[in-house]
Amino acid sequence: MSQVLPKGLSSEAFHARADAIAQAAKELAALGWTPATSSNFSMRVDEAHAAITISGRDKGHLGRDDIMLIDLDGHAVGTDARPSAETALHTQVYRRWPEMQVVLHTHSRTQSVASRLFAAQGVIRLEGWELQKAITGFHTHESVLEIPVFPNTQHMPELVARVDAWLDAGKPLHAYLIDGHGIYTWGRSMAETRRHLEALEFLLACELDLRRLSA
Ligand SMILES: [Zn+2]
């Protein structure tokens, strides 16, 4: 299955994204955050397209052939490959924020356990942690970083609507958890998005430890 690129979109631009996604996926897989072919990753290519992982591939061993082009409605462009089942959650980010370039979604054990633990509250309130400053726009540990936990569903429009409702209520959003599932976060570059993901993984692990130790 080969990827045909639309006129005006250079193969260099697409390959640079595909390589960056494959490299990030390899590193995140090595951390154990993408078990059993789960997780998905994307990068914006231009104002109308993104590169995204093809469904069901082992994220530790991605090559250029495992990344495909989609439009911002989530349709495959120039390929018969099937994009990730959760593509709509990626394109939602690119449609809402023109400056966002990368979306990372992983299923680590910490993310999964935290999502179950906080599902009833519907939100994790992070407060007093120095590492909150790793999230863009947060400058002090005294701020409150809210990470919503949305119910899991296989019906993506439902999740898209929950994300929209959170944002339309005027609340800041840098990431969200899905109950029993994993985390989504995004940023203006791969480095910023990796920083968000690593900081959130660390913060969630700290919250879990606190509960374990104060039981
Ligand atoms: Zn997932």
Side-chain angles (χ1 to χ4, degrees):
M1 241 175 311
S2 64
Q3 173 71 57
V4 179
L5 296 172
K7 242 179 113 194
L9 201 157
S10 77
S11 57
E12 287 80 10
F14 178 73
H15 288 149
R17 268 63 164 198
D19 292 348
I21 290 170
Q23 182 61 33
K26 187 178 175 183
E27 291 168 20
L28 296 171
L31 293 168
W33 297 4
T34 70
T37 79
S38 70
S39 309
N40 38 72
F41 309 109
S42 70
M43 284 186 87
R44 181 192 288 279
V45 179
D46 61 20
E47 63 285 342
H49 301 94
I52 191 165
T53 42
I54 293 176
S55 185
R57 305 286 169 90
D58 178 350
K59 302 306 181 295
H61 300 91
L62 295 181
R64 285 179 179 174
D65 291 347
D66 300 308
I67 317 288
M68 63 181 289
L69 193 70
I70 52 169
D71 63 25
L72 296 193
D73 292 318
H75 301 120
V77 175
T79 172
D80 295 330
R82 193 164 54 90
S84 158
E86 295 167 30
T87 294
L89 301 177
H90 292 249
T91 53
Q92 178 178 34
V93 169
Y94 299 126
R95 284 202 312 266
R96 279 207 80 126
W97 293 290
E99 70 273 26
M100 293 307 168
Q101 298 291 326
V102 178
V103 179
L104 299 177
H105 165 54
T106 54
H107 287 221
S108 80
R109 186 165 164 160
T110 294
Q111 293 151 18
S112 301
V113 172
S115 72
R116 299 304 299 266
L117 196 63
F118 292 92
Q121 286 106 293
V123 67
I124 302 179
R125 281 171 59 89
L126 297 163
E127 198 173 358
W129 301 106
E130 180 68 13
L131 218 62
Q132 286 167 223
K133 287 159 59 183
I135 308 299
T136 296
F138 286 76
H139 304 293
T140 165
H141 65 283
E142 290 171 327
S143 56
V144 177
L145 172 58
E146 286 195 324
I147 309 295
V149 185
F150 298 124
N152 197 18
T153 172
Q154 305 303 321
H155 185 58
M156 288 309 125
E158 251 175 71
L159 269 169
V160 168
R162 287 186 189 278
V163 174
D164 276 336
W166 179 279
L167 287 165
D168 293 345
K171 296 188 262 190
L173 189 69
H174 304 276
Y176 57 85
L177 284 162
I178 308 173
D179 184 13
H181 181 159
I183 198 166
Y184 271 85
T185 191
W186 47 87
R188 293 163 299 180
S189 65
M190 181 60 87
E192 182 181 72
T193 312
R194 286 286 298 270
R195 195 181 74 225
H196 285 171
L197 186 61
E198 282 165 28
L200 291 163
E201 171 77 12
F202 177 88
L203 292 167
L204 294 176
C206 289
E207 289 286 340
L208 294 184
D209 278 350
L210 270 183
R211 269 152 194 78
R212 215 177 272 130
L213 294 167
S214 57

